[in-house]
Amino acid sequence: MPQSDELKRYRCYEIFSQSTGVEIRAAIKTCEDHGAVVERSGRIHLRFFKLTPKTKPEDITQIRFICEPDEAFSLSQMICQVLDSPVPCKEKLNPHMFSAGENSDEIVTTVSVEKWERGGKNGFALTVGRGKDFISVPVPRAKFFFAGEFLRTLSTEQCWVERLEKKMTTSAHR
């Protein structure tokens, strides 16, 4: 069957630095029961990525972090706090933890925002860490502020749920 090329619109904001980037976009979490979708809910997807090629096969090129709407809102508030800070600082979301299987170690992923100062230079960054891997995206002030506003907006837009509605049929109402 031929594949149709169709444009699909979705809310997305991408920030690129010299060697890294982050994509912020709307996402959907799906819950299934016996192979049938019974619930869908809004989420916010953060995809941090490297623009440089792998130097070793085990190198990671991207890390994804899926936020619930209230987490994305908290992240937007943290960005505002960091922007308003007169001194360098760092704020972190609560870590996400998951296990790849019964006998595997728990994997911890963190997202942080920071105002940094090094060697007479200063700026802002969005960073994700998973285990020993980190991707940091240096961001100019205006883009950092916009990312916070975008997260704030997405957090309320993605605060929804679709649930399978069970309809009751009774013979008493005939």
Side-chain angles (χ1 to χ4, degrees):
M1 181 189 272
Q3 184 178 359
S4 93
D5 291 329
E6 195 173 316
L7 295 176
K8 179 175 170 33
R9 176 188 287 198
Y10 57 95
R11 307 278 309 244
C12 178
Y13 180 55
E14 296 175 325
I15 304 171
F16 298 93
S17 73
Q18 192 171 358
S19 61
T20 58
V22 61
E23 173 191 47
I24 303 167
R25 68 178 171 91
I28 296 171
K29 178 183 176 185
T30 303
C31 295
E32 294 183 11
D33 186 22
H34 303 303
V37 174
V38 294
E39 182 176 292
R40 296 186 331 150
S41 53
R43 294 292 186 267
I44 294 83
H45 181 192
L46 304 174
R47 183 178 68 90
F48 292 80
F49 52 91
K50 293 181 180 178
L51 297 168
T52 53
K54 286 184 176 190
T55 55
K56 295 179 241 153
E58 66 273 8
D59 284 351
I60 57 109
T61 57
Q62 64 181 345
I63 298 175
R64 297 171 191 269
F65 190 92
I66 308 296
C67 296
E68 292 193 17
D70 63 322
E71 287 179 304
F73 187 80
S74 291
L75 191 58
S76 77
Q77 296 301 295
M78 289 175 192
I79 288 173
C80 289
Q81 289 172 349
V82 167
L83 277 167
D84 291 342
S85 175
V87 296
C89 61
K90 187 177 201 172
E91 295 288 335
K92 285 184 179 184
L93 277 180
N94 287 332
H96 283 195
M97 294 174 246
F98 69 93
S99 181
E102 273 187 40
N103 298 329
S104 54
D105 291 337
E106 194 167 56
I107 298 167
V108 178
T109 307
T110 58
V111 168
S112 62
V113 294
E114 70 177 305
K115 181 177 192 171
W116 55 268
E117 190 176 301
R118 286 180 211 92
K121 294 183 179 184
N122 60 13
F124 302 92
L126 292 154
T127 303
V128 67
R130 177 171 290 151
K132 63 178 177 33
D133 297 311
F134 287 88
I135 299 176
S136 186
V137 184
V139 181
R141 182 180 184 86
K143 289 182 183 257
F144 193 64
F145 182 59
F146 187 85
E149 288 297 302
F150 188 69
L151 282 162
R152 186 179 61 81
T153 300
L154 268 185
S155 69
T156 55
E157 288 177 2
Q158 289 300 99
C159 197
W160 56 267
V161 65
E162 296 173 341
R163 287 192 180 107
L164 191 61
E165 222 176 82
K166 298 196 189 282
K167 298 189 181 191
M168 297 187 67
T169 57
T170 61
S171 57
H173 290 93
R174 291 184 187 184

